[in-house]
Amino acid sequence: MNTVTPNPKSQIQNPKSRRRLAVLLSGRGSNFEAICDAIADGRIPDAAIVAVISDVADAPGLNRAVERGLNAFPIPREGLSRSEHEEKILRILDAFETDLVLLAGYMRLLSPRFIERYRGRILNIHPALLPKFPGLDVQRRALQAGELESGCTVHFVDEGTDTGPVILQRRVPILPGDTVETLSARILQEEHRAYPEAVARVLEGLPLAR
Ligand code: GRF
């Protein structure tokens, strides 16, 4: 795993005017890539990803960040208390003067202290129509409940599990014969549209952190 040396200036042509996004992920990183693409094609205007942070050192999403020339930080939890681990992450977010923190498949709950530090500046994407099906394994649970539709939700993060204010949702049908895999894939397609749209919407009304 290559770790790009933290160098805020290397990623940012226009440090004063660009909105600075940081991504936290634990796995594949397809939502992270959808956001990168949306920045590149102007759907998220005037923004840059300043840091990609993962609690899983070999997360594929972190490798994608390296390939895209972004600042990538593996911050494994092993051997650290929760607060020590979060402190390391917060130090990176602060050092890059982060405006918005995007959870994109980040599989850890954030402490109230972390949330307070970035209150109103942390977004998450969840593969269900909240408030239905918060938590884990939600595509399976939606199928088992006999739902006729599901979808995804982008929301602000608060102290609860997937309870913060909703920014936007997108719906998909649940079709006869759907499996966890087919439903997850249908929802994921919508996630890749919904997350960039929500980020753009939030950034429009967000004062810069600095
Ligand atoms: C997505 O389904 C997202 O909704 C959930 O975790 C998954 C992450 O996928 N929070 P990816 O790593 O962005 O591909």
Side-chain angles (χ1 to χ4, degrees):
M1 168 85 249
N2 290 325
T3 304
V4 176
T5 310
N7 176 7
K9 303 288 180 278
S10 71
Q11 299 304 318
I12 317 244
Q13 278 86 47
N14 211 349
K16 290 285 176 249
S17 66
R18 302 196 88 185
R19 280 86 62 90
R20 297 165 177 241
L21 314 181
V23 176
L24 269 60
L25 57 80
S26 301
R28 174 176 63 181
S30 70
N31 278 290
F32 149 64
E33 294 214 88
I35 287 162
C36 288
D37 293 344
I39 291 172
D41 70 20
R43 278 174 292 142
I44 303 177
D46 196 26
I49 294 180
V50 294
V52 181
I53 300 167
S54 182
D55 60 321
V56 177
D58 60 356
L62 206 53
N63 283 315
R64 297 287 122 68
V66 172
E67 285 161 17
R68 287 175 181 261
L70 297 171
N71 291 318
F73 298 92
I75 312 287
R77 167 74 203 267
E78 287 74 33
L80 301 175
S81 69
R82 185 195 200 186
S83 70
E84 288 167 344
H85 184 243
E86 287 193 344
E87 192 47 49
K88 282 185 165 216
I89 295 173
L90 285 166
R91 250 183 261 138
I92 296 169
L93 298 180
D94 292 350
F96 283 91
E97 300 181 315
T98 303
D99 293 305
L100 201 58
V101 180
L102 305 177
L103 307 187
Y106 187 65
M107 296 309 287
R108 286 179 190 279
L109 289 177
L110 299 175
S111 71
R113 184 172 146 268
F114 190 114
I115 291 164
E116 190 51 44
R117 286 267 292 272
Y118 277 83
R119 167 93 48 205
R121 294 179 180 275
I122 310 174
L123 270 50
N124 182 43
I125 185 151
H126 182 77
L129 296 173
L130 293 171
K132 280 190 174 176
F133 306 111
L136 295 175
D137 204 18
V138 297
Q139 295 92 338
R140 182 182 311 280
R141 285 162 49 209
L143 284 171
Q144 283 171 351
E147 297 286 323
L148 297 176
E149 64 172 10
S150 185
C152 62
T153 304
V154 185
H155 64 96
F156 287 104
V157 173
D158 68 7
E159 282 79 358
T161 301
D162 303 320
T163 53
V166 169
I167 300 158
L168 68 83
Q169 295 188 308
R170 280 183 187 267
R171 292 167 188 276
V172 302
I174 295 183
L175 302 175
D178 259 343
T179 62
V180 172
E181 289 70 31
T182 57
L183 177 59
S184 301
R186 193 175 306 122
I187 294 172
L188 193 65
Q189 273 193 337
E190 291 305 316
E191 293 185 39
H192 294 163
R193 295 193 196 106
Y195 213 172
E197 194 181 322
V199 170
R201 220 185 263 183
V202 168
L203 284 175
E204 265 178 36
L206 191 76
L208 294 180
R210 1 179 228 294

